[in-house]
Amino acid sequence: MNPVELSIVLPAYKEKENLALLVPQIEEEFKKDRIEIIIVDDNSADGTRELAAELHRTYGNVILIERPGLLGIGSALRDGYNRATGEYILSSDADLSFSPDDMRVIYTKIQSGYDLVLGYYTSVASQGSRGLNGFITVSISTVSNTIMRLLAGVGNLKNYNTNFRVIRSSTWKSFTTVEDRNFFLFETIYRSKQQGARITEVPVTFSARKFGESKLNFFQQAPRYFLKLIRFRLTGKSS
């Protein structure tokens, strides 16, 4: 059996409708590649388990990690990354915010010699009222990333907190993470940099979600996030 080239990790909570569209799109985009798709589900009660089983019957490469509850996106990504068998591990939100076309873009980029490739966005594809919500998301992200750029100490990156990235499996295995929530996204950049990883960014398109509601409340998490960042810069430890 040929080894997996690319593992795609999709953390999910009540994303059945989005996954039903996204997974077939991914399978079509990467039909000539050896991939696996890992859905990390935090005990959704919307039929995600049944959908994953159906998708696996259809494609033969869809893996479901079932978790007992909402344990945090960082924890979900760590579980997915640790389960991955590919040479490269790509993670994305499951809500159709990012396209398989852009997955291809960052996957191609990392194959040119990088260890971690981050997708960054500066605008949102308009979708009516949901497009407005996306515009607000992008605006908040721009402000928070500007602050992080001043404090982070990992280079002049444009985006530190977006779950759209691809990392070499060997790089992921070279360090340990402890964060369970959104700060995990910065922690992986920081730890990769400590290991001498070659990091770059590429522009991607952000689209407002089609179904369901966002699970992220930035205003609730921001104070704790930036306190963690300051502590991380001073001590190298966030928790």
Side-chain angles (χ1 to χ4, degrees), residues 97 121-141 206-209:
S97 293
Y121 58 86
T122 57
S123 62
V124 59
S126 178
Q127 296 177 9
S129 61
R130 288 189 179 273
L132 176 60
N133 291 335
F135 173 77
I136 293 171
T137 299
V138 171
S139 299
I140 292 172
S141 178
F206 176 86
S207 299
R209 63 164 52 242

Side-chain angles (χ1 to χ4, degrees), residues 21-144:
L21 295 176
L22 178 59
V23 171
Q25 291 174 8
I26 293 173
E27 297 284 4
E28 177 63 24
E29 175 64 38
F30 291 93
K31 61 185 177 183
K32 295 182 180 179
D33 302 276
R34 297 190 299 275
I35 71 166
E36 62 183 1
I37 297 175
I38 302 171
I39 299 171
V40 186
D41 182 59
D42 276 358
N43 198 29
S44 302
D46 64 347
T48 295
R49 179 190 300 108
E50 292 77 13
L51 173 66
E54 179 184 339
L55 291 168
H56 182 69
R57 285 193 295 271
T58 300
Y59 299 107
N61 61 356
V62 178
I63 298 163
L64 177 66
I65 297 177
E66 297 183 79
R67 288 153 39 102
L70 283 168
L71 305 178
I73 187 172
S75 172
L77 289 171
R78 182 163 49 247
D79 284 352
Y81 285 19
N82 286 339
R83 174 63 177 79
T85 62
E87 180 181 357
Y88 303 97
I89 306 169
L90 187 156
S91 65
S92 171
D93 293 343
D95 60 5
L96 297 171
S97 293
F98 302 103
S99 72
D101 288 349
D102 279 334
M103 291 182 186
R104 171 67 67 186
V105 169
I106 64 173
Y107 180 46
T108 299
K109 189 68 173 180
I110 198 169
Q111 289 177 298
S112 68
Y114 292 97
D115 302 304
L116 174 62
V117 176
L118 311 170
Y120 74 88
Y121 58 86
T122 57
S123 62
V124 59
S126 178
Q127 296 177 9
S129 61
R130 288 189 179 273
L132 176 60
N133 291 335
F135 173 77
I136 293 171
T137 299
V138 171
S139 299
I140 292 172
S141 178
T142 300
V143 173
S144 65

